[in-house]
Amino acid sequence: MHKILKIVALVLSLAGIGLLIGILATGDEAIKAGDNAVVDYMSYVAYIVLFIILLSVIIFVFKNLFSNTGSLKNTLIGVGVFLAVLIVSYAVSGGDTMIYKYGGNPVTEGESHMVGAGLIAFYVLILTAAAAMLFSGIKKLIK
């Protein structure tokens, strides 16, 4: 498996280098004029690399989760707490009665409610992270 990943990485790296040289050889003026074939191919290589990275991360995360039941329990607790924060944030946030426009279209009360919930969840999570870092730093200083 490791050798296969090395070969795939080498092939994609060489393709990226070749396309980069093609972009540099084409020049800015030609690309701005509409000759985007090389840029399009470079985008496809980037999408392939992104897909491979996401797939490998998902596979290895689930492999490690199910091989170690202790980490699975902790992960499920973390996901549950995160969902609880989202649910409480949604319950606390209220829809705004003002009429906002986004792209010329009025924003609905439900959309405003979701934005408010997202902001509240963000604030709760950032304060929790800051408190955890502060607590960890104080704990290290005491030891």
Side-chain angles (χ1 to χ4, degrees):
M1 179 76 171
H2 189 66
K3 287 185 180 184
I4 293 172
L5 289 176
K6 276 188 172 183
I7 293 170
V8 169
L10 178 66
V11 168
L12 289 172
S13 298
L14 291 175
I17 291 170
L19 290 169
L20 177 63
I21 291 171
I23 289 172
L24 294 175
T26 303
D28 292 342
E29 291 79 22
I31 292 174
K32 288 179 185 176
D35 184 19
N36 294 332
V38 179
V39 176
D40 290 341
Y41 292 131
M42 185 71 152
S43 298
Y44 296 142
V45 170
Y47 291 142
I48 291 169
V49 169
L50 178 65
F51 177 74
I52 290 171
I53 290 170
L54 288 176
L55 188 65
S56 63
V57 165
I58 290 170
I59 288 171
F60 288 117
V61 162
F62 280 117
K63 178 185 167 207
N64 288 335
L65 274 177
F66 291 117
S67 66
N68 187 357
T69 57
S71 68
L72 179 62
K73 178 184 169 188
N74 290 338
T75 301
L76 290 176
I77 289 171
V79 169
V81 169
F82 181 70
L83 287 175
V85 167
L86 292 180
I87 290 169
V88 169
S89 297
Y90 185 78
V92 169
S93 73
D96 197 354
T97 57
M98 285 186 61
I99 297 175
Y100 298 103
K101 295 211 179 229
Y102 180 73
N105 299 326
V107 176
T108 65
E109 186 176 346
E111 291 170 340
S112 177
H113 195 75
M114 290 295 286
V115 169
L119 287 171
I120 291 171
F122 173 75
Y123 297 144
V124 168
L125 293 172
I126 198 76
L127 288 174
T128 304
M133 288 188 290
L134 185 65
F135 177 72
S136 174
I138 292 172
K139 191 175 176 182
K140 284 183 182 179
L141 284 175
I142 292 173
K143 286 185 178 183

